[in-house]
Amino acid sequence: MKKIFIAPSILSANFAKLGQEVQEVLLAGSDIIHFDVMDNHYVPNLTFGPMVLKSLREYKITAPIDVHLMIQPVDSIIPSFAKAGANFITFHPETSDNIKNTLSLIKSFGCKSGLAINPGTSLSILDEFMDQIDIILLMSVAPGFSNQKFISSTLNKIYHVRKKIDRCNSNILLEVDGGININNIIEVVSLGVDIVVMGSFIFQSKDYKKTISIIKNKLNVLHI
């Protein structure tokens, strides 16, 4: 059975006790911790920087950390996140002056590299870079804020990106972020998604273990 990775986004966590919350969602069965990094320039919100990631590593968080950079320009911040302990770093094509160079920069630090695609961005941007990326992150909401409604047209994009990956016989991971909950996760995952980012649905629940167990049980029952 295909492994589906659950990646809680700390954008929805309680920052007064961030280390504890991250530890708890991992103990509850999460696989990856997702970092939504925003600069109040490329997107209209401001979140956190490399020191927050470093502090989690110092708190003995050893799980993979997936950094989604919504920052422009992007290259200057990549070394800091890589050195702080990022495992995956994705960025938006629009934020780079030279996408190939940015992908190479990420890889030079030993991190997996990826491209993040906004709802309004054409999938054709991926074609030139399929042999250089490890992750494709499809945004199923407009980037910038948590707790938004899933954009249904993303389902068609998931289908087509999965086809692109399969045609390349590639190990690229397909990730989706935004508005995913227990009511739509099956529809999303059944199209070939590997990593599901879930923020408010997990962090706003009263019992992380119960919530993540419900997610996994639903996926297991349908043999996805």
Side-chain angles (χ1 to χ4, degrees):
M1 190 165 62
K2 179 180 177 178
K3 169 70 174 177
I4 306 299
F5 297 96
I6 298 173
S9 169
I10 66 165
L11 188 61
S12 299
N14 181 349
F15 275 78
K17 51 177 184 176
L18 182 60
Q20 179 185 338
E21 291 227 320
V22 169
Q23 190 174 64
E24 287 177 0
V25 294
L26 289 169
L27 289 173
S30 299
D31 304 292
I32 298 169
I33 297 302
H34 189 79
F35 261 58
D36 284 308
V37 183
M38 306 176 191
D39 65 355
N40 197 33
H41 173 65
Y42 178 67
V43 292
N45 198 1
L46 183 65
T47 55
F48 33 77
M51 290 187 69
V52 174
L53 196 160
K54 185 173 183 287
S55 71
L56 288 181
R57 290 305 191 200
E58 291 173 347
Y59 194 79
K60 307 304 181 186
I61 299 299
T62 59
I65 293 182
D66 171 25
V67 175
H68 171 203
L69 297 177
M70 290 167 271
I71 289 177
Q72 189 175 29
V74 71
D75 286 12
S76 59
I77 199 68
I78 286 170
S80 297
F81 272 103
K83 292 174 183 178
N87 299 98
F88 314 128
I89 299 179
T90 57
F91 65 96
H92 292 260
E94 303 90 344
T95 66
S96 171
D97 292 330
N98 188 309
I99 295 170
K100 286 186 178 182
N101 287 351
T102 302
L103 291 169
S104 295
L105 176 62
I106 293 169
K107 289 179 180 291
S108 74
F109 287 95
C111 299
K112 301 291 187 182
S113 64
L115 291 176
I117 306 300
N118 285 335
T121 301
S122 171
L123 297 180
S124 64
I125 191 70
L126 296 169
D127 295 341
E128 185 180 351
F129 308 104
M130 293 295 286
D131 61 341
Q132 300 173 64
I133 54 180
D134 303 294
I135 308 168
I136 296 170
L137 170 57
L138 289 181
M139 294 301 297
S140 45
V141 297
F145 296 93
S146 63
N147 207 22
Q148 297 185 64
K149 185 178 179 180
F150 182 87
I151 297 173
S152 60
S153 59
T154 308
L155 295 172
N156 186 53
K157 297 182 81 169
I158 295 170
Y159 172 82
H160 286 290
V161 172
R162 182 76 260 169
K163 291 293 185 185
K164 285 179 184 286
I165 294 171
D166 292 344
R167 281 196 298 269
C168 295
N169 293 316
S170 173
N171 292 320
I172 295 172
L173 294 170
L174 176 52
E175 181 175 15
V176 178
D177 179 6
I180 300 173
N181 55 48
I182 201 65
N183 297 317
N184 60 18
I185 189 169
I186 294 300
E187 191 173 17
V188 169
V189 169
S190 64
L191 292 169
V193 171
D194 301 293
I195 303 173
V196 180
V197 178
M198 303 178 80
S200 55
F201 183 74
I202 292 176
F203 277 114
Q204 292 180 12
S205 67
K206 294 181 179 179
D207 187 330
Y208 297 156
K209 188 171 184 177
K210 181 178 179 181
T211 299
I212 293 170
S213 179
I214 289 170
I215 294 166
K216 290 190 172 184
N217 287 339
K218 189 157 189 177
L219 295 175
N220 289 339
V221 166
L222 295 181
H223 305 292
I224 294 175

